[in-house]
Amino acid sequence: MSTDHRPRHRVRHALAAVVLVATLGLLGVPASAGTQGHPGTGPFSPQGSYTAVWSRADALKVHSDATNTSPVIPATFPVMTDQVWIWDTWPLTDLSTDVVTYRGWHVIFSLTAPRTIFFGDRHWQARIGYFYSRDARTWTYGGNLFPAGSSLGSREWAGSTVLKGRDEVQTFYTASGHDNGGVDPNDPLQRLATASGRIHANASRVWFTGFTNHKIIAEPDGRMYQTLEQSQAGPIIYAFRDPFAFRNPADGRVYLLFEGNTGGVAGDYRCTERDLGPLPPGHTVPADSRFYTGNIGLAEATSTNLRSFRLLHPILSANCVNQQTERPHLVFHRGQVYLFTISHMFTYAPGLTGPDGVYGFVSRTVRGDYRPLNGSALVLGNPASQRLQQYSHYVMPNLLVESFIDTIFTQPGEQAPVYGGTLAPTLRLEFRGANTYMVQQLGYGYIPATRTRP
């Protein structure tokens, strides 16, 4: 009986394939993207060439409402420590992106700078510090992660930190500025770097050893990702930073996400029909939009110790939409890949606007035809009354979102600022397909683990 039905099955499969190819063509998706044979082949494989877009038409749909606006933070917020300013923060994870504990301790990492300097000068003296907690709410500052003078660049910018094996820890970070460059706001060089060490803990504290083997693992190529020299022909801030390490469950390989800009000399880019999308009648694209070329890059590990990587094509571009797609990271949820990035109001291309906050996209695969969440990509933005309230959101696999408090204004007209430099209240999201909703505000700096290790 099964032999009699095989030809019919073949006919049905063939017809289904024809329908699928035709459907993908109508959607503007490469036919081979949906019919690839296995990981590693086709434009939708991580090694492929397909880059999704965040279009101007998408960004024009940005609007704020109760489902995507962070609650107002009072100026009387608590401060985690009086020793250092705290901003970009990430938890200890494994390569599956799960937030993990170590011997009962929750551990987080933050960009830090002495609280004795002006808040706005912190970027040029940034060091990765760490904190530990038993309850994921009350954090103890442990000091700098790296030994003094060991890191590359002249300051340490954001990245990710993974627990490998029982107690080996590897951090991926941005080596910002030239090596031994000192405190120099006019030195925008950025490279991706890594170093590894050991985590230790007893009943009273957590500490680290090692982290003396720093290595540059990625620099822009000028073709897929803009170099510093190429960017200096334009007026916009340069970006090649924020590595996020993860293992892709589809192929078992380790990759880095990072923020970049489309390769080529600044100003040479020309906005394409795909960048613009189906614009409403009367919308004019200002000429200077060509300078705004943010993208989310991908690199693949080529060694088991994760100290060698090769650049792959970007997985998302924001050409003619936004210049900065900072701190990209992923959440694997119910068979979907949710891609998140943070961005500012001031980095939108001319003719567009949106709040400082976290933006997101969804696809079936790491490299895929990402759709903007909520139609526009806005997931959580600052309230209009406090446009600089918080930033550097990080969406965790449990759908909790942590961020830091930036600046709170206590008078109309943005007068009498209160600088934060500490963690903001954690917010909880709910995902419903391609839509997200802010459904709960939790405590300040609540960053619970989702898995216990070891």
Side-chain angles (χ1 to χ4, degrees):
M1 184 178 291
S2 60
T3 302
D4 292 338
H5 284 288
R6 282 175 190 167
R8 297 177 189 175
H9 284 311
R10 290 194 189 104
V11 170
R12 282 198 291 267
H13 292 331
L15 288 172
V18 170
V19 171
L20 176 60
V21 169
T23 301
L24 290 171
L26 289 173
L27 293 174
V29 178
S32 58
T35 58
Q36 60 182 11
H38 56 82
T41 65
F44 269 25
S45 75
Q47 296 74 23
S49 58
Y50 185 82
T51 299
V53 299
W54 182 18
S55 73
R56 282 186 75 93
D58 297 330
L60 282 170
K61 299 173 186 174
V62 169
H63 75 280
S64 299
D65 58 33
T67 69
N68 62 19
T69 300
S70 300
V72 172
I73 297 174
T76 54
F77 54 81
V79 175
M80 287 170 57
T81 174
D82 59 4
Q83 293 180 260
V84 290
W85 299 113
I86 298 163
W87 61 109
D88 296 4
T89 297
W90 59 95
L92 179 65
T93 67
D94 59 20
L95 283 169
S96 298
T97 75
D98 284 317
V99 181
V100 298
T101 59
Y102 180 77
R103 296 190 176 181
W105 291 101
H106 303 265
V107 185
I108 60 174
F109 306 86
S110 299
L111 299 190
T112 65
R115 216 168 173 93
T116 53
I117 68 172
F118 175 59
F119 183 65
D121 293 338
R122 67 193 188 279
H123 301 290
W124 321 117
Q125 299 187 40
R127 292 289 179 264
I128 297 172
Y130 71 95
F131 297 77
Y132 51 91
S133 171
R134 286 292 192 188
D135 62 5
R137 300 175 187 272
T138 306
W139 298 96
T140 298
Y141 175 49
N144 292 338
L145 178 63
F146 302 148
S150 66
S151 61
L152 299 170
S154 54
R155 60 255 172 182
E156 302 153 15
W157 284 1
S160 57
T161 303
V162 296
L163 180 65
K164 298 164 55 183
R166 185 171 182 82
D167 61 2
E168 182 184 357
V169 172
Q170 187 162 356
T171 288
F172 302 86
Y173 70 100
T174 308
S176 177
H178 288 81
D179 296 341
N180 303 310
V183 179
D184 184 1
N186 298 311
D187 181 2
L189 179 65
Q190 295 160 43
R191 299 162 292 165
L192 308 187
T194 191
S196 57
R198 301 283 176 181
I199 185 172
H200 311 271
N202 57 26
S204 59
R205 69 186 184 102
V206 173
W207 70 100
F208 293 87
T209 58
F211 291 109
T212 58
N213 59 345
H214 294 255
K215 181 186 178 185
I216 298 297
I217 53 175
E219 298 183 74
D221 62 340
R223 183 176 59 86
M224 296 183 292
Y225 304 101
Q226 190 176 70
T227 65
L228 174 60
E229 293 72 23
Q230 289 174 331
S231 77
Q232 290 178 327
I236 311 300
I237 189 170
Y238 171 66
F240 191 82
R241 57 180 179 267
D242 301 345
F244 172 82
F246 69 97
R247 189 184 305 280
N248 181 9
D251 62 12
R253 301 173 184 173
V254 176
Y255 299 90
L256 292 179
L257 293 184
F258 58 90
E259 176 195 3
N261 292 120
T262 298
V265 175
D268 284 356
Y269 190 81
R270 294 296 178 266
C271 304
T272 69
E273 183 176 349
R274 191 162 178 259
D275 297 327
L276 303 180
L279 294 173
H283 179 79
T284 300
V285 181
D288 283 353
S289 296
R290 70 189 189 278
F291 288 106
Y292 293 73
T293 56
N295 67 23
I296 294 177
L298 189 68
E300 178 185 11
T302 57
S303 65
T304 56
N305 62 7
L306 308 185
R307 288 175 60 82
S308 297
F309 285 80
R310 70 182 182 105
L311 294 178
L312 302 175
H313 288 274
I315 62 171
L316 183 82
S317 69
N319 295 324
C320 307
V321 175
N322 205 305
Q323 177 65 7
Q324 288 193 8
T325 48
E326 297 188 288
R327 294 198 66 197
H329 56 284
L330 298 173
V331 170
F332 299 98
H333 181 72
R334 295 182 177 176
Q336 301 292 306
V337 181
Y338 289 85
L339 171 65
F340 296 98
T341 183
I342 55 174
S343 201
H344 293 283
M345 179 183 293
F346 78 88
T347 62
Y348 269 99
L352 299 174
T353 190
D356 285 22
V358 59
Y359 294 77
F361 309 82
V362 61
S363 168
R364 290 177 299 167
T365 50
V366 168
R367 182 181 301 283
D369 193 31
Y370 283 99
R371 293 174 290 157
L373 293 172
N374 308 313
S376 68
L378 177 61
V379 174
L380 281 172
N382 284 338
S385 61
Q386 294 288 353
R387 67 180 186 86
L388 299 181
Q389 173 179 278
Q390 65 201 93
Y391 192 61
S392 203
H393 305 68
Y394 182 98
V395 184
M396 295 173 277
N398 55 10
L399 310 189
L400 299 186
V401 188
E402 58 91 356
S403 60
F404 80 95
I405 301 173
D406 191 320
T407 305
I408 306 293
F409 295 100
T410 59
Q411 298 177 17
E414 301 190 351
Q415 301 297 312
V418 176
Y419 298 115
T422 190
L423 290 180
T426 295
L427 304 176
R428 184 166 71 86
L429 293 175
E430 184 175 300
F431 291 3
R432 299 177 195 168
N435 293 297
T436 62
Y437 305 85
M438 195 276 292
V439 295
Q440 188 178 12
Q441 177 174 288
L442 303 168
Y444 288 85
Y446 178 49
I447 307 178
T450 56
R451 183 171 295 182
T452 300
R453 298 249 179 117

